Amino acid sequence: MDRLTAETKIKELAKRIERHNRLYYEEDRPEITDQEYDQLMRELIELETQFPELASPDSPTQRVGGEPLPFFEKVVHKTPMLSLGNAFGEADIRDFDRRVRQAVGSQAVRYVAELKIDGLAVSLHYENGVFVRGATRGDGTIGEDITQNLKTIRSIPLRLTRPLTLEVRGEAYMPKAAFEKLNREREERGEPLFANPRNSAAGSLRQLDPKIAASRQLDIFIYGIGELHGETVESHSEGLDLLESLGFKVNKERRVFEDVGELLAFIESWTQKRPSLPYEIDGMVIKVDSYAQQEELGYTAKSPRWAIAYKFPAEEAITILEGIEVSV
Ligand SMILES: CC(C)(C)c1nc(N2CCN(c3ncccn3)CC2)c2cc(C(N)=O)c(N)nc2n1
């Protein structure tokens, strides 16, 4: 086949496969069988292997993962991925608010409250809008390059809606339903079970074989910007809206508050609603919205003074002893 025909065929195949991905993953109404889908994918992989210069970085073949890696390269986070101070009750939140208001003087303070997704923090780096590298948080300064595994997460865009160079942070996670299904399959195969969705997400992303990560139905919520070039934003909430417009999946349950009382009511409401979510959360993250105020507040040795993690009380450990339900 000549190059021009191959180019047309590759573009046409990629468009067909992306349409079937949308039908299958977003609308849950596939039009072709898995076998027919696999055939299309094999054809595209074959053409991209024959004409590597025609394979684009956002081709659907990037989602299926290549050969297993011998090891993970180390990645130094240019902007460190910090830790979060903890709050365990209303008094801690009010103390946090008092400290913030003390530091920013008489200015009005706006907070953004977000669900704290219980997964694995990762960093995603984009050059001119193309996903080029992803890494685990590691110790906040040095993480592991897990780009191949992250490419299998469908909600991670391989190409942004604009050719921006930036680095974002997010929490990769395994939905509760995928976790339960995975453990049922492992039980049938007599394999050890994962203790919780966070461990299974971390275990899946630390596999050297990307085909394993690709089989694990992982997802991600982007929660912050590490570096941003070619665009300026003044606040965290504006930054999250920009990220959404670029194609990132940002959790919709975020809300902005001026009043601590309403913030506390919001936190309480999610303590109750937590079991109804299709993914696990272990608390809320409260952040000062204004970047200028974040600058004024600065950082301790390891965490920002402008953010705090509110940790939900440990869920009652309910164990079933021979059918008798006891709370411990
Ligand atoms: C950018 C800041 C520092 C404010 C920040 N840091 C976070 N984390 C830091 C500590 N992390 C961590 N991880 C492992 C060990 C120690 N710290 C895990 C991410 C956030 C995590 C979530 C979430 N999970 O949903 C979130 N909505 N916002 C975050 N925001």
Side-chain angles (χ1 to χ4, degrees), residues 119 229 272 301:
H229 303 277
Q272 307 307 323

Side-chain angles (χ1 to χ4, degrees), residues 81-84 114-121 137-138 169-171 221-225 236 282 284-287 303-304 306-308:
M81 291 182 73
L82 300 169
S83 300
L84 278 168
E114 302 167 10
L115 300 186
K116 189 170 181 295
I117 311 303
D118 193 6
L120 181 79
R137 176 182 179 283
R169 277 83 198 267
E171 196 87 359
F221 285 116
I222 303 301
Y223 63 68
I225 297 173
H236 176 59
D282 60 342
M284 309 290 287
V285 186
I286 316 304
K287 304 171 185 180
S303 54
W306 44 264
I308 197 158

Side-chain angles (χ1 to χ4, degrees), residues 65-83:
E67 293 311 306
L69 298 170
F71 56 90
F72 288 124
E73 301 278 354
K74 293 295 180 202
V75 169
V76 178
H77 298 297
K78 266 201 322 194
T79 312
M81 291 182 73
L82 300 169
S83 300

